């Protein structure tokens, strides 16, 4: 149907665009406070950039086609492979650790549902060239501070944090074998959404025994650093495997963000390239999908960029966040913010209105006026519909005295103001 955008694609009418701009401005502000530099890449990339390392799920969702030159290409479904490629190409010249952010539009052919569309914008913040868990804490803190910048607290959102090294060590320590790990990871990832019987059956299919299956569910149920540490203490290499997670959570507590953080081993993340700490932000009601997700991907730069650098980052989409803000956020995102609406009393006042409007705009003041002669009542109606806080009324008598009438449209009060002093109203 011609009147509608494609399924999963959005038209941004001014109010919706205002919310998006508000989100982008907040993202940029927090990224700046954390000392991140902005970059961008192309929206169309070679298909193999994703087929190699991103994992099955995202590959199935690709918008992929052959271009007129016979190249196999895809619209970017995520930013991380582009980042790995870009950094790989200039790795020598870039001062490490690299702290970069970007706000790409991404495309995934997903089944449409609440919070999931076929295009979305995603803030990406990544640190490349730093293996210390302080880098993990830094990124989780940035994601939390974005929530705080939107006025959301620990009663609204939580960061659920895990570590794939911890999961690996626990699973191997409880008798699973290396080839059984992917199936166990998948089950743990889905353990909150899929009934236990179905998952146990899946584990059985992969040849995982009863005792090991029970271990998988026990591990998935671990919550909190202490419980995880206690479980790790019982397996070989456990203490060492738990150290980065312990340090990262400790750093978040030192920053005063401990109330936002929950150690939760069910966070595995769908993408194939994660190697260490992984995390997601959720609304506490869990009525929405993940607000953000990320983690450490120490092998990806080598695989895609040919340089061996540790790396980590997260992606935060505008869709789930937008829904959360519509539900709970402060509603301060008017699509226009006029400072004044100018009103011409008679036809002769039009030229002075044009002159005054232009002078005010040169000073940075946002003004509008009626584009055709109309009764004062009509002009005032438009001023009110636009949400202008005041009307500046230009009429023959006041003009002769070098003045205008300024009407406060909220209070309904009026005052005569010398034209020369008008700009003082707006500072
Ligand atoms: P992701 O978990 O696929 O990670 O996406 C991150 C976030 O983007 C999600 O939590 C969600 O807010 C949003 N998002 C993803 N798909 C959609 C969709 N179809 N519609 C609306 N929002 C969506 C990544 O993409 C990783 N590359 C993030 C990353 C950066 N990891 C390291 N650096």
């Amino acid at each position: 149907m011609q009147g509608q955008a494609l399924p999963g694609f959005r038209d941004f009418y001014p109010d919706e665009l205002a919310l998006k701009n508000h989100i982008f401005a907040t993202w940029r502000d927090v990224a700046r406070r954390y000392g991140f530099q902005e970059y961008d890449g192309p929206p169309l990339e070679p298909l193999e950039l994703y087929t190699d390392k991103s994992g099955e799920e995202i590959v199935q969702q690709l918008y992929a086609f052959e271009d007129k030159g016979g190249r196999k290409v895809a619209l970017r479904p995520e930013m991380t492979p582009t980042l790995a490629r870009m950094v790989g190409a200039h790795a020598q010249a870039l001062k490490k650790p690299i702290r970069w952010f970007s706000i790409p539009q991404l495309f995934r052919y997903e089944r449409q549902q609440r919070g999931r569309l076929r295009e979305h914008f995603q803030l990406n913040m990544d640190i490349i060239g730093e293996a210390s868990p302080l880098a993990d804490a830094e990124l989780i803190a940035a994601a939390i501070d974005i929530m705080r910048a939107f006025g959301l607290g620990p009663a609204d959102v939580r960061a659920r944090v895990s570590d794939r090294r911890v999961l690996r060590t626990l699973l191997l320590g409880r008798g699973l074998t290396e080839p059984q790990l992917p199936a166990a990871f998948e089950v743990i990832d889905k353990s909150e959404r899929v009934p236990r019987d179905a998952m146990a059956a899946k584990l059985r299919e992969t040849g995982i025994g009863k005792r090991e299956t029970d271990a998988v569910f026990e591990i998935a149920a671990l919550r909190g650093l202490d419980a995880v540490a206690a479980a790790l203490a019982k397996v070989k290499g456990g203490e060492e495997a738990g150290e980065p997670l312990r340090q990262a959570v400790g750093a978040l507590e030192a920053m005063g963000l401990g109330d936002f953080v929950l150690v939760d081993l069910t966070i595995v993340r769908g993408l194939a390239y994660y190697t260490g700490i992984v995390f997601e932000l959720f609304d506490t009601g869990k009525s929405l999908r993940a607000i953000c997700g990320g983690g450490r991907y120490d092998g990806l730069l080598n695989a895609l960029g040919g340089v061996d650098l540790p790396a980590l980052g997260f992606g935060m989409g505008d869709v789930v966040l937008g829904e959360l803000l519509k539900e709970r956020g402060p509603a301060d995102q008017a699509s226009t913010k006029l400072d004044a609406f100018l009103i011409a009393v008679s036809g002769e006042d039009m030229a002075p209105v044009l002159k005054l409007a232009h002078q005010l705009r040169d000073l940075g003041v946002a003004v509008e006026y009626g584009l055709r002669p109309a009764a004062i009542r009509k002009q005032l109606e438009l001023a009110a519909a636009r949400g202008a806080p005041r009307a500046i009324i230009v009429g023959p008598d006041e003009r002769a005295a070098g003045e205008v009438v300024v009407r406060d449209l909220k209070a309904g009060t009026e005052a005569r103001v010398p034209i020369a002093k008008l700009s003082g109203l707006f500072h």
Side-chain angles (χ1 to χ4, degrees):
M1 207 221 284
Q2 273 186 358
Q4 282 181 0
L6 284 169
F9 284 75
R10 292 170 290 177
D11 293 323
F12 288 95
Y13 287 84
D15 283 347
E16 288 132 24
L17 192 65
L19 176 62
K20 175 159 95 72
N21 286 342
H22 174 59
I23 290 173
F24 280 27
T26 309
W27 281 347
R28 285 206 166 88
D29 183 52
V30 176
R32 180 192 58 76
R33 281 196 256 150
Y34 273 75
F36 279 63
Q37 288 180 291
E38 188 164 1
Y39 72 98
D40 201 357
L44 200 64
E45 288 276 23
L47 176 62
E48 76 256 19
L49 192 63
Y50 308 109
T51 48
D52 281 358
K53 294 288 164 212
S54 291
E56 202 43 41
E57 190 176 348
I58 230 171
V59 167
Q60 281 176 7
Q61 297 168 342
L62 283 174
Y63 276 89
F65 57 96
E66 202 170 287
D67 76 4
K68 290 192 167 60
R71 291 174 208 89
K72 290 193 161 38
V73 295
L75 284 172
R76 58 186 176 194
E78 58 157 338
M79 196 60 174
T80 315
T82 299
L83 173 66
R85 181 175 63 67
M86 286 172 64
V87 169
H90 290 273
Q92 299 301 326
L94 298 164
K95 180 75 190 150
K96 265 69 84 193
I98 296 160
R99 302 160 73 95
W100 282 5
F101 82 97
S102 189
I103 309 182
Q105 189 173 22
L106 306 177
F107 303 89
R108 300 180 187 182
Y109 198 85
E110 297 217 38
R111 201 162 48 82
Q112 206 184 324
Q113 47 190 302
R114 189 169 181 219
R116 278 288 177 275
L117 300 174
R118 292 186 175 159
E119 54 76 25
H120 70 283
F121 291 87
Q122 192 189 83
L123 169 71
N124 278 246
M125 288 179 77
D126 292 85
I127 298 179
I128 294 172
E130 183 53 71
S132 160
L134 281 188
D136 300 72
E138 179 91 336
L139 279 177
I140 297 169
I144 293 172
D145 277 346
I146 291 170
M147 299 297 112
R148 293 180 57 238
F150 284 117
L152 302 169
D156 305 299
V157 286
R158 288 289 166 86
R160 296 161 75 190
V161 187
S162 180
D163 189 329
R164 285 195 177 186
R165 291 163 294 199
V166 168
L167 262 190
R168 245 181 85 78
T169 308
L170 286 174
L171 291 168
L172 293 174
R174 297 291 297 271
L176 280 92
T177 63
E178 191 79 40
Q180 293 171 337
L181 290 184
F185 273 34
E186 199 187 324
V187 161
I188 292 174
D189 184 34
K190 300 207 167 97
S191 60
E192 286 198 331
R193 283 163 279 154
V194 180
R196 182 169 169 148
D197 289 352
M199 292 191 302
K202 182 161 172 64
L203 291 176
R204 246 194 329 275
E205 275 167 33
T206 354
I208 298 176
K210 166 93 178 64
R211 206 156 45 98
E212 288 75 23
T213 297
D214 288 344
V216 170
F217 290 117
E218 261 174 52
I219 291 166
L222 292 174
R223 297 286 178 279
L225 205 51
D226 293 344
V228 171
L232 280 168
K234 293 185 202 143
V235 301
K236 191 165 143 268
E239 207 166 309
E240 194 192 332
E243 192 53 22
L245 184 62
R246 198 185 61 74
Q247 284 184 26
V249 172
L252 287 161
E253 277 164 4
M255 293 175 201
L257 298 176
D259 287 350
F260 283 92
V261 180
L262 243 161
V263 170
D264 178 341
L265 294 192
T266 56
I267 301 300
V268 176
R269 309 268 306 128
L271 289 154
Y273 47 65
Y274 293 111
T275 54
I277 290 181
V278 280
F279 69 97
E280 291 185 346
L281 288 188
F282 284 91
D283 67 302
T284 45
K286 286 199 194 162
S287 66
L288 302 167
R289 306 193 52 145
I291 301 163
C292 130
R296 187 169 273 285
Y297 51 95
D298 284 347
L300 193 66
L301 267 99
N302 211 353
L304 297 182
V307 291
D308 194 9
L309 286 172
L312 66 159
F314 69 81
M316 182 185 293
D318 65 330
V319 181
V320 176
L321 181 58
E323 299 224 357
L324 189 63
L325 294 180
K326 275 188 254 169
E327 262 175 32
R328 280 184 239 182
D332 178 31
Q333 304 115 25
S335 53
T336 37
K337 285 213 177 78
L338 273 189
D339 297 307
F341 196 101
L342 271 53
I343 288 176
V345 172
S346 71
E348 257 105 78
D349 298 306
M350 202 60 222
V353 160
L354 294 179
K355 181 177 173 191
L356 184 57
H358 200 257
Q359 284 171 341
L360 289 171
R361 285 171 175 167
D362 271 356
L363 292 171
V365 180
V367 301
E368 188 186 334
Y369 50 84
L371 293 174
R372 58 167 65 204
I376 296 178
R377 184 181 51 78
K378 281 265 167 208
Q379 297 182 64
L380 280 169
E381 258 173 39
L382 186 54
R386 292 290 201 247
R390 54 178 84 79
I392 297 175
I393 303 163
V394 180
D397 298 347
E398 294 84 5
R399 205 151 38 80
E403 293 179 338
V404 291
V405 173
V406 176
R407 177 185 292 191
D408 183 321
L409 292 175
K410 303 241 156 59
T413 52
E414 281 190 359
R416 283 173 73 131
V417 178
I419 290 176
K421 293 213 172 132
L422 206 49
S423 67
L425 283 184
F426 301 101
H427 294 302

